[in-house]
Amino acid sequence: MEQPLAPYSVCNLAAVNLAEMANKETKTVDFEKLKKTVEIGTRMQDNVIDATPYFLEENKKQALGERRVGLGVMGLHDLLIYCEKEYGSEEGNKLIDEVFKTIAETAYRTSIEIAKEKGSFPYLVGQSEAETNRLREAFINTGFMKKMPEDIKENIKKYGIRNSHLLTVAPTGSTGTMVGVSTGLEPYFSFSYFRSGRLGKFIEVKADIVQEYLDAHPEADPNNLPHWFISAMELSPEAHADVQCIIQKWIDSSISKTVNAPKGYTVEQVKKVYERLYKGGAKGGTVYVDGSRDAQVLTLKAEENSFEEQLELLEEETKKVVLVDTIQDLRTTSVKIGSEIGDTCPVCRKGTVEEIGGCNTCTNCNAQLKCGL
């Protein structure tokens, strides 16, 4: 989970496409473009808070009280490749640190500017001037804020800040794949792999950035790319962890990042990775040992991912689903609650399950209970 929340908190997420922040001619980061993008993204997300229709009054109260947003990224590995920096290397980590420092400081300065125009988030406003000053003082003395520049801390004391939290990095698996860049903070799993999806596990994905490089460098050997085309499984677990810790330093919430470990990685080795993450300041972490599950989302071989296997797993999981709060209903009524056509929906227990768009869907709450894709 990349976003710990208070009761009834909500957080609208957005992602800056870092691949678009590279100057491909100079092989550098366009920091001015990055700052402008973060400024626009921060303002946009703050506006979303007011534009959102909240279904629960408790959600609305909490959202408007803390005005939490989560600006993240996708395309980090693309940016490093365009800058000819190897993911996980000392040189690459220095650039990552500079990029996320820029994102954090820009987002906070923007939020202060919005506070000047529209006021602080209400939970930072006391019933008296003295109480407001005390709240602001406490805010700038939190662990995350201590690393911020003095101008940001002083301006928060003076003007407040519009949003209680500004940054988080979600996985962006679908959206990153959709626009053809590396997802979230992750390096490319491989530059040609097979991805699990609703159409099965045989969807081959080839990274656009490789073909782009080959088109620009016709003399290049596609089987012997430069060292900055490093993949997730070529990195050591320690390198994965260190990148996460560098980024965490500049993220006020939490982040989604997987530490990929090779097959045969022991429990003791996994333990040491978690200790490394903890000591490095990460708020959470995920270590995935290759091949440790019967089925996994990303694999390098198509034969590991048959369509028939996917259907069998889906059918097996469907059989296992039993909602505890429907057990009494099943015992005391002749109504059949389930996911088959004609059943009563197990989610809302009001609608009927019908086939809509290839899925067994509830006519009342629109829950998709079983799909034949």
Side-chain angles (χ1 to χ4, degrees):
M1 183 181 75
E2 70 274 356
Q3 187 68 301
L5 296 170
Y8 294 105
S9 282
V10 294
C11 185
N12 63 85
L13 303 173
V16 174
N17 184 357
L18 291 179
E20 295 294 326
M21 302 301 127
N23 183 323
K24 298 177 186 178
E25 299 299 320
T26 61
K27 299 176 176 56
T28 58
V29 178
D30 186 340
F31 281 100
E32 288 308 310
K33 183 179 181 181
L34 177 60
K35 288 177 184 177
K36 187 66 178 176
T37 304
V38 172
E39 287 171 6
I40 293 170
T42 303
R43 285 185 173 274
M44 178 197 73
Q45 286 184 279
D46 186 67
N47 289 336
V48 166
I49 293 169
D50 297 312
T52 298
Y54 298 95
F55 295 102
L56 297 176
E57 190 59 35
E58 294 91 341
N59 286 141
K60 182 177 182 179
K61 179 182 177 183
Q62 190 69 21
L64 296 177
E66 61 184 1
R67 304 194 69 86
R68 174 195 290 264
V69 301
L71 186 64
V73 302
M74 61 175 73
L76 172 61
H77 198 190
D78 299 77
L79 178 68
L80 291 171
I81 290 171
Y82 287 136
C83 295
E84 298 187 352
K85 302 288 190 292
E86 186 177 308
Y87 191 110
S89 68
E90 184 178 349
E91 201 177 24
N93 287 347
K94 285 180 181 176
L95 183 59
I96 287 173
D97 185 63
E98 190 176 359
V99 165
F100 281 89
K101 180 177 186 287
T102 300
I103 291 172
E105 292 180 358
T106 303
Y108 268 76
R109 288 192 175 105
T110 302
S111 189
I112 291 167
E113 288 303 310
I114 303 173
K116 290 179 186 178
E117 301 163 17
K118 302 178 181 180
S120 277
F121 68 93
Y123 290 171
L124 198 66
V125 179
Q127 295 189 358
S128 65
E129 184 177 346
E131 187 181 356
T132 297
N133 291 338
R134 181 183 60 78
L135 290 171
R136 291 177 181 178
E137 190 70 39
F139 186 90
I140 66 169
N141 281 299
T142 57
F144 178 80
M145 288 302 301
K146 288 179 180 177
K147 66 177 74 71
M148 282 294 186
E150 283 304 312
D151 70 288
I152 289 178
K153 290 188 277 191
E154 287 302 315
N155 281 329
I156 290 174
K157 285 171 66 175
K158 189 174 181 180
Y159 304 108
I161 190 166
R162 183 66 169 170
N163 313 95
S164 67
H165 297 74
L166 286 151
L167 306 158
T168 194
V169 186
T172 72
S174 298
T175 52
T177 302
M178 179 178 69
V179 299
V181 299
S182 57
T183 59
L185 305 174
E186 308 293 352
Y188 279 99
F189 179 73
S190 172
F191 294 100
S192 178
Y193 58 93
F194 294 84
R195 189 172 193 270
S196 171
R198 291 185 67 185
L199 296 179
K201 290 189 172 182
F202 49 79
I203 305 165
E204 186 173 9
V205 179
K206 290 190 176 181
D208 296 339
I209 197 168
V210 173
Q211 192 59 51
E212 184 181 343
Y213 179 81
L214 294 174
D215 290 343
H217 301 84
E219 75 287 354
D221 179 359
N223 297 313
N224 189 26
L225 294 167
H227 65 89
W228 52 84
F229 281 93
I230 192 169
S231 65
M233 295 307 294
E234 292 175 302
L235 282 165
S236 70
E238 291 77 16
H240 278 286
D242 290 348
V243 169
Q244 178 173 344
C245 293
I246 288 165
I247 295 167
Q248 183 69 81
K249 182 171 68 171
W250 299 109
I251 301 296
D252 55 18
S253 280
S254 194
I255 62 182
S256 176
K257 171 79 181 81
T258 300
V259 173
N260 292 97
K263 287 182 179 178
Y265 218 59
T266 66
V267 172
E268 186 61 31
Q269 287 173 306
V270 171
K271 174 187 172 185
K272 287 180 179 177
V273 174
Y274 278 115
E275 289 173 347
R276 191 182 190 98
L277 287 167
Y278 178 77
K279 291 173 183 175
K283 295 184 180 181
T286 300
V287 179
Y288 183 77
V289 179
D290 189 39
S292 60
R293 296 180 64 180
D294 292 336
Q296 59 190 50
V297 175
L298 302 179
T299 55
L300 300 177
K301 297 179 182 178
E303 57 265 29
E304 294 176 9
N305 301 281
S306 70
F307 185 56
E308 290 74 16
E309 177 188 280
Q310 178 75 357
L311 288 176
E312 287 172 10
L313 285 169
L314 181 61
E315 289 169 4
E316 192 61 36
E317 287 302 314
T318 303
K319 290 176 187 175
K320 292 177 184 177
V321 173
V322 178
L323 301 179
V324 174
D325 60 357
T326 69
I327 291 175
Q328 189 60 33
D329 292 330
L330 290 169
R331 289 173 176 166
T332 59
T333 180
S334 60
V335 173
K336 186 178 180 184
I337 297 174
S339 60
E340 300 300 328
I341 294 171
D343 291 351
T344 297
C345 174
V347 178
C348 67
R349 299 201 292 268
K350 293 180 181 178
T352 303
V353 179
E354 293 184 5
E355 184 180 350
I356 302 173
C359 292
N360 290 8
T361 305
C362 174
T363 56
N364 179 59
C365 68
N366 296 318
Q368 291 183 330
L369 303 165
K370 182 179 178 184
C371 291
L373 293 177

